[in-house]
Amino acid sequence: MASFLARFLSIAVTALFCGLTNSPYASAADGKTLDLSKVEIVGTQDGSLPAKAAALLTDEIEKRTGIRVPAVERAQKQETPTIVIQTLDQFQDGKLPDGLEPPSRDDAYAIWVDQSQPSPTIMLLGFDERATLYAAGRLLRLLSMTKGKLQLPADVRISTAPDVAIRGHQLGFRETANSYDAWDLKQYEQYLRDLIVFGANAIELIPPVSPDEPRGPLMPLHPWEMNQKLSALIGSYGLDVWLWVPVESDVNDPKQAEEELNRMRTLFQSCSHINDIFVPGGDPGHTPPGILLPWLSRMAAALHETHPDANLWVSNQGFTPEQNEVLFNYLRTSEPDWLEGIVFGPWAKISLAEARARTPRKFRIRRYPDICHTLRCQYPVPDWDPAFCQALGREPYNPRPRAMAHIHNSLADFADGFVCYSDGITDDVNKTIWSASGWDRNQDVEDILREYGRYFIGEEQGEAIAQGLLGLEENWRGPLLANENIEKTLAQWQEIEKQLPEAAQTNWRLQLPILRAHYDAYLKQRLLRHTQIEQEAKDQLRQAPKIGVKPAIDQARKTLAQVEDDDTAHDLRSKLVELGKLLNESVRLQLDTPNYGANRPDRGAVLDYLDFSLNDSPWMEAQFTEILKLDDKQEQRRRIQQIVDWEDPGPGGYYDDLGRVGRQPHLLPAMRENAWKADPGFVGSSQSEFGNRVNGNLLKLNDGKLSWLNQAETLFGTPLRMRYTDLDPSAKYRLRVTYTGRFRATMRLLADQSHEIHGPLPQPAEPWPIEFDIPQAATADGVLDLQWELLAQRGCQVAEVWLIKQ
């Protein structure tokens, strides 16, 4: 190594004085690219992290170009281009180009091209050994790699350090994952390398509670053995190994507390590398903080028996206001040395800004953002069309690049970094956005996506892939039937697939967006057809006064039955089934339960949702059965009319379907986009909550109205509000409302914050609209404010509201 450095410095000095510019490769001045097809990596020591960086470069370049870049002790020929990977300690006698800052903290690096020699030298200089991995990753993103060609811009000069210290992702080997549980160690290592390329420095495992935990049907190894191997693998790359370890025993019971401690001790002893332990205070875990925190001091002592430098963290997920008081008072008064910091995760009932303000500066804060779920989660898709919920569920392929960048960047100053919650690879783009934004929050989202597309999918398709991924995010904005972006995005991905036919058969990062683009288009066509079918059936029901109730129902039933054999967009459906098979082969993704062993339909198994109804035909059929049992013909006709006119509030009235985007004009806040940007976790503002009819429906409404499955919702005691303007001051109004929701909340309702419309009212056991008079004094000024206040359960939920002018 010393002889190489001497040679390098000697040539550099000679070049400065003699003006060596006669290079066959390129010159920085002309902005051309360097031909690196014969490049060598020199000087890395076997077993070191720089050697890992060299192997990363060698393997990934060969996959994309067919060129095997050798790692050699020293350059074979002076005219051969070289890549030099060094740490700052090794480079202490060297000199960076003018204006390029030397790396000055953990993970920081510099990259530049030295052309003062007969052949160019690409310098990768890391602050420490791990930093060389990030330098190698950045070089891979800078390189142009196609078959038989390897090029680099000749004027590369970079010096960079990460914005946040903790940049990690959870890769839990457990049955609930939509892909990880079927991976072998080789697949994990590849994904680990992929995450490193964009700057991740931490991986969180979800280990089994004991060696006796059952092995899942798709698992290549027992989970206890796999987590041991994963701990060693992650540690070998110098990344921080986190363990997610909930406390589910009653540690207030001395016997259970000791047994739990021994289980933890066995777990810690089994792992060769542990840097941090994260104990969720809830979700799962139900131990009050007054009991949990003192017990965790014992857990920390057990951890330090085998991992003396490891840290312990705890979250306040699910803590009540009173429990948060206990937590923050404990931190202030006890200042425990065994605790490293607080994790801010889903179901924390305060904002991240409040958590930082109440946590003493001695303790760090780590974010635990849920980036893999679309609904019933920390950062749900705002104002999602209910049809997407019905068909895609909670865990589909969900690239949300602009949203994820905003969620990271707008709150980054309140924390020391993040380890993202994940249950598979459907959030892969989101992981990349978080990693890249954690390194540099000012990096443009489109630039990140271009690098993602060029590196992972196709060198020449970077721009097209970036726009295609942004298009998928736009597909989820606003009412589905009015979204003209759906067809445009499908055409974009079809063109990319045409340009990359081989990758479309093998590359899961290309297959996934192709799947989503086809699914969105398939869903829109089916929703349009099912909406038409329902409207035709209602038109037939309107004939009941002329032709009779039973004949009208018979005609409507025949029309609604078309949903069962609906072959709308069958070509798109066939494509989706084909992609499901390809994705299982390429990355073990489990897109349905019967063929690929998905844990549950809502765990990303979107192919389980292909054929069910997107209209109210199940509810209408249930109503028909009841109506035909009635002896009173007048009541039969009234019930038929109720189906037909369900959403009609009458002259001068208003109807809001509060869980359906575009149908909630009176829901506050009125400026939905601005509200989301200020509060993406909906801690203090309203959001849409979704259920569905597929197996495991949380509301048990398999034959209920779609409008009952979705609600407007506020959490953590925030009131739910609506506002009406331009009312008739002289008129009387009546309120009709449907209460549904998985929280089964008890609420009271106020008008203008002074008139009680109803007192404490638990959610009815069976959903059906109920009516209340509105005091005329509340509408005398032409404006009506409604406010639902939570009295019990987790949040306010309201499905439908009619304001009826009498």
Side-chain angles (χ1 to χ4, degrees), residues 23-27 32-36 38 79-81 115 118-120:
S23 168
Y25 297 96
S27 83
K32 293 182 180 179
T33 58
L34 302 174
D35 176 7
L36 300 182
K38 300 186 185 309
E79 65 271 17
T80 301
Q115 292 201 83
S119 60

Side-chain angles (χ1 to χ4, degrees), residues 591-604:
L591 286 173
D592 73 18
T593 48
N595 297 301
Y596 307 121
N599 183 259
R600 294 199 311 257
D602 64 340
R603 289 290 183 179

Side-chain angles (χ1 to χ4, degrees), residues 444-712:
D444 183 75
V445 168
E446 291 190 38
D447 287 343
I448 299 171
L449 295 178
R450 287 186 197 100
E451 287 192 349
Y452 178 94
R454 288 179 53 247
Y455 181 68
F456 286 127
I457 301 176
E459 169 64 37
E460 297 172 352
Q461 282 75 32
E463 178 63 29
I465 290 162
Q467 297 309 313
L469 291 171
L470 291 170
L472 290 176
E473 185 172 29
E474 287 298 309
N475 280 7
W476 284 359
R477 292 174 64 89
L480 173 56
L481 289 181
N483 192 331
E484 297 179 357
N485 193 67
I486 302 290
E487 293 78 15
K488 175 185 173 184
T489 303
L490 176 61
Q492 287 175 312
W493 285 105
Q494 287 174 329
E495 179 60 27
I496 295 170
E497 180 181 14
K498 181 180 177 182
Q499 296 296 322
L500 298 170
E502 183 179 342
Q505 294 297 308
T506 58
N507 187 332
W508 62 268
R509 284 189 171 93
L510 177 56
Q511 293 163 351
L512 271 171
I514 292 173
L515 175 94
R516 248 292 306 283
H518 283 80
Y519 209 125
D520 291 354
Y522 171 74
L523 189 60
K524 182 177 178 180
Q525 291 186 33
R526 279 176 57 83
L527 179 60
L528 177 62
R529 178 61 186 136
H530 288 202
T531 301
Q532 291 170 342
I533 288 172
E534 181 177 318
Q535 189 57 52
E536 290 172 16
K538 286 182 177 179
D539 290 342
Q540 290 161 341
L541 292 176
R542 288 188 175 94
Q543 301 302 310
K546 294 181 181 179
I547 66 174
V549 168
K550 187 175 186 306
I553 287 178
D554 287 344
Q555 289 185 18
R557 277 177 160 167
K558 185 177 180 180
T559 298
L560 291 173
Q562 295 176 54
V563 170
E564 298 299 321
D565 353 291
D566 180 28
D567 65 350
T568 299
H570 64 275
D571 291 343
L572 292 174
R573 189 189 186 285
S574 298
K575 179 71 172 180
L576 293 171
V577 172
E578 174 192 339
L579 285 163
K581 182 175 184 294
L582 289 174
L583 278 158
N584 187 257
E585 292 170 352
S586 58
V587 73
R588 307 300 295 158
L589 185 62
Q590 300 137 35
L591 286 173
D592 73 18
T593 48
N595 297 301
Y596 307 121
N599 183 259
R600 294 199 311 257
D602 64 340
R603 289 290 183 179
V606 296
L607 299 185
D608 280 347
Y609 298 66
L610 285 173
D611 298 322
F612 67 94
S613 170
L614 292 172
N615 63 20
D616 267 331
S617 54
W619 177 77
M620 292 172 71
E621 177 56 40
Q623 295 301 303
F624 296 158
T625 301
E626 292 183 11
I627 290 169
L628 291 175
K629 291 178 181 177
L630 297 173
D631 295 326
D632 187 332
K633 299 298 182 184
Q634 184 174 350
E635 177 62 13
Q636 283 185 326
R637 288 192 293 272
R638 187 194 71 78
R639 291 282 297 274
I640 288 289
Q641 200 64 36
Q642 187 177 51
I643 295 172
V644 170
D645 295 333
W646 185 269
E647 297 181 2
D648 183 5
Y654 303 93
Y655 170 78
D656 285 65
D657 183 348
L658 287 182
R660 186 175 173 186
V661 60
R663 300 296 304 278
Q664 42 185 216
H666 302 99
L667 181 65
L668 295 179
M671 301 295 291
R672 308 293 294 169
E673 179 72 12
N674 292 342
W676 176 83
K677 286 183 177 178
D679 182 20
F682 298 103
V683 175
S685 56
S686 63
Q687 62 173 299
S688 295
E689 163 80 354
F690 301 101
N692 60 48
R693 288 175 174 154
V694 180
N695 317 348
N697 167 36
L698 295 168
L699 300 179
K700 311 301 182 190
L701 294 176
N702 295 316
D703 58 358
K705 282 184 64 61
L706 289 173
S707 57
W708 297 349
L709 291 168
N710 313 312
Q711 310 89 35

